[in-house]
Amino acid sequence: MFGAKIDGGKLSKKEMEENINELLIKEKKEFNINSSNVKLLKVRELYDLNDDVIAFYYNIIEDEILKGYVLASVDPNLDSILEYGQLIGEKDTHYGEVLLSNNNLNAYYLGYQAIFFDTDVNSLNIQLEKKKNSIINKIEEEDKEYAEQIESLDLGLNEDVVIKNTKDLQLFAIDPNGMSTLNWTKIIGAVA
C-alpha cells in the first residue's frame, strides 16, 4: 500500500498524485520509465455504489509516450493505488479507451477489472441483477440445485458474499482491496 490511510474524508488531488509518484519511483522498471519527464493525465473519475467518486483513472506519460495506467483511490480507507500496469503502444487498451468511449455514462468501479457503465446506481443494480439471472439460468442447465442456492441468496452489492459450490468453484469474490462490494468479474466479465 502506498501513502497513509486517514479515517473519514477524501484524499486531495495532491495526496493522490503523491501516492502515484511513490508508486512510479518504486515501479520504474514496471513502467519502463527512463527519464524524469513523466506526467499524469487524468482520464476519468470512477464511482462507487453510493454514486460518489471513489477513484480516478490516470495515464502515465513519459516524453509524450504512453507508458502505463494507475487507478488511484480517493477513499482513505482503501488502498491508495487500486490497480496499475504498463501499457504498450499508442492506445490505452486496459480501461482508457472504454472509459473515454462511454463518457456519457457514469463509470462504476466494483473491484479489480470490474468497471460497469450506467446512468445511476439504481439502473446499475438492475443491470447487474439481469446479468446475475442470466448466469443462474446457464448454471441451472448443469446444476439445478446449485442455481437454486445462488438464486435464494440476497446478493445486494453492499454485502460481503463469497459463494462456492461443492466443486469449490468461486463465482463471486470479495474485492482484494477491501471494498465491501461484490467483485462480479468471474461471473459476468471484466468490463461490461
Side-chain angles (χ1 to χ4, degrees):
M1 175 175 68
F2 301 91
K5 286 187 181 181
I6 306 163
D7 289 327
K10 299 230 181 217
L11 295 177
S12 69
K13 179 181 177 185
K14 181 181 176 189
E15 290 169 313
M16 282 190 334
E17 289 179 359
E18 286 172 0
N19 291 335
I20 295 170
N21 286 328
E22 277 184 56
L23 171 71
L24 293 176
I25 291 166
K26 183 179 177 202
E27 300 291 342
K28 253 184 159 171
K29 286 184 181 180
E30 166 76 25
F31 294 110
N32 194 24
I33 293 174
N34 301 309
S35 75
S36 60
N37 190 19
V38 176
K39 59 185 172 182
L40 298 173
L41 175 64
K42 185 177 92 173
V43 175
R44 183 149 181 208
E45 71 283 344
L46 302 167
Y47 293 87
D48 65 11
L49 293 170
N50 295 317
D51 268 339
D52 293 326
V53 174
I54 192 172
F56 287 93
Y57 187 81
Y58 289 91
N59 282 145
I60 300 164
I61 313 288
E62 178 189 34
D63 297 323
E64 305 306 316
I65 298 171
L66 182 63
K67 292 289 187 157
Y69 68 91
V70 174
L71 207 158
S73 172
V74 299
D75 185 337
N77 296 311
L78 298 176
D79 286 345
S80 57
I81 304 296
L82 300 173
E83 294 183 37
Y84 68 93
Q86 183 182 40
L87 295 169
I88 300 171
E90 297 177 14
K91 292 187 177 184
D92 179 348
T93 57
H94 187 67
Y95 292 139
E97 296 295 315
V98 173
L99 288 169
L100 290 173
S101 67
N102 287 288
N103 64 0
N104 59 328
L105 298 170
N106 289 342
Y108 292 92
Y109 182 74
L110 302 185
Y112 180 70
Q113 294 189 347
I115 293 180
F116 292 85
F117 297 93
D118 219 316
T119 55
D120 59 55
V121 76
N122 292 328
S123 183
L124 174 68
N125 280 321
I126 292 167
Q127 177 190 161
L128 293 175
E129 187 68 24
K130 285 179 183 176
K131 289 184 182 220
K132 179 190 88 172
N133 289 334
S134 172
I135 295 300
I136 288 171
N137 290 338
K138 289 179 185 175
I139 292 170
E140 194 170 44
E141 293 172 10
E142 292 183 26
D143 189 341
K144 186 174 177 132
E145 184 178 315
Y146 182 49
E148 287 171 0
Q149 286 177 332
I150 293 173
E151 192 170 28
S152 70
L153 293 172
D154 179 12
L155 296 177
L157 293 175
N158 291 320
E159 298 177 27
D160 293 333
V161 178
V162 176
I163 304 171
K164 297 181 181 182
N165 72 5
T166 55
K167 300 174 187 110
D168 203 33
L169 170 65
Q170 187 171 331
L171 293 176
F172 302 95
I174 303 305
D175 181 295
N177 298 305
M179 293 174 58
S180 62
T181 59
L182 290 176
N183 179 346
W184 293 79
T185 57
K186 291 191 178 181
I187 193 161
I188 10 182
V191 178

